[in-house]
Amino acid sequence: MSTTQSERLRKLLEPLVSSQGLDLEEIAVDSVGRKRVLRVVVDSDTGADLDRIADVSRELSAKLDETNAMGEGEYTLEVGTPGAERLLKEHRHYARAVGRLAKFQLAEGEELVARILTVDDDGLDVEVPGVKGRKPTARRLAFGDIDRARVQVEFSRKDKKDMKEEEEA
């Protein structure tokens, strides 16, 4: 049974990433001209700041050099986080997105934009924003009903403190 380079790299690098308190979310090896780029995406429940990214990047680079896992050719190592509009694939991704707005592509073809309120083992409770002055509505989504989900960027979202102040005024 053959394993891909990405699978071999995951087995090699995941323990190092875990030792830094991070989750290894993704590994991709891409060719850019004659060079190769190894992209490693890490995250955690508390996020990953630049210092943690730099630390894990140094450790991964040393391990890759020590084991020659990328072969003799030149390559560039890029370590980062999933980004603002991250895909939600694993249970932990949904749990990290509580309070965030997400776009869901549901199994029956429906597309839904809703705020994630709670996550449990079976699915999630969301709040669908009201349209044209209507109140938001609650909805339950089972994980099996979700084909694809992605966090949405919100530029003008009010935090809880701002909403409380408006209610009191």
Side-chain angles (χ1 to χ4, degrees):
M1 177 167 129
S2 173
T3 59
T4 66
Q5 182 180 24
S6 292
E7 290 169 341
R8 289 190 304 273
L9 288 168
R10 179 175 284 278
K11 286 180 185 174
L12 177 69
L13 303 179
E14 196 157 29
L16 290 173
V17 172
S18 295
S19 74
Q20 294 288 323
L22 298 169
D23 295 317
L24 179 58
E25 298 293 352
E26 187 179 323
I27 286 184
V29 181
D30 299 313
S31 294
V32 180
R34 293 181 180 205
K35 281 188 153 185
R36 291 171 299 147
V37 177
L38 171 59
R39 289 185 178 87
V40 178
V41 178
V42 299
D43 202 5
S44 78
D45 291 344
T46 58
D49 62 22
L50 289 176
D51 291 333
R52 289 176 80 185
I53 297 287
D55 290 344
V56 79
S57 181
R58 280 190 291 276
E59 283 200 35
L60 297 181
S61 180
K63 185 61 142 183
L64 290 165
D65 291 345
E66 169 191 311
T67 61
N68 201 22
M70 288 295 292
E72 294 297 323
E74 283 187 44
Y75 71 93
T76 301
L77 172 64
E78 294 179 0
V79 180
T81 59
E85 289 190 358
R86 63 189 70 192
L87 274 175
L88 304 174
K89 297 178 183 177
E90 307 283 335
H91 184 275
R92 69 177 179 266
H93 299 159
Y94 288 96
R96 290 174 185 159
V98 167
R100 304 282 310 269
L101 198 63
K103 183 184 235 179
F104 299 92
Q105 185 66 44
L106 302 179
E108 70 267 1
E110 180 185 2
E111 192 172 276
L112 175 71
V113 175
R115 187 166 312 283
I116 300 172
L117 300 176
T118 62
V119 178
D120 59 34
D121 291 340
D122 300 317
L124 48 148
D125 293 310
V126 298
E127 180 182 75
V128 181
V131 180
K132 295 182 182 176
R134 294 187 183 141
K135 290 187 177 186
T137 56
R139 185 162 173 189
R140 176 78 180 165
L141 299 176
F143 286 121
D145 294 338
I146 301 169
D147 277 347
R148 184 178 174 101
R150 181 181 295 276
V151 169
Q152 300 295 287
V153 174
E154 295 179 85
F155 292 106
S156 61
R157 178 176 177 212
K158 295 179 183 176
D159 64 19
K160 291 178 184 178
K161 179 183 163 201
D162 292 337
M163 289 188 288
K164 255 188 192 172
E165 288 174 1
E166 280 184 6
E167 288 173 4
E168 291 171 359

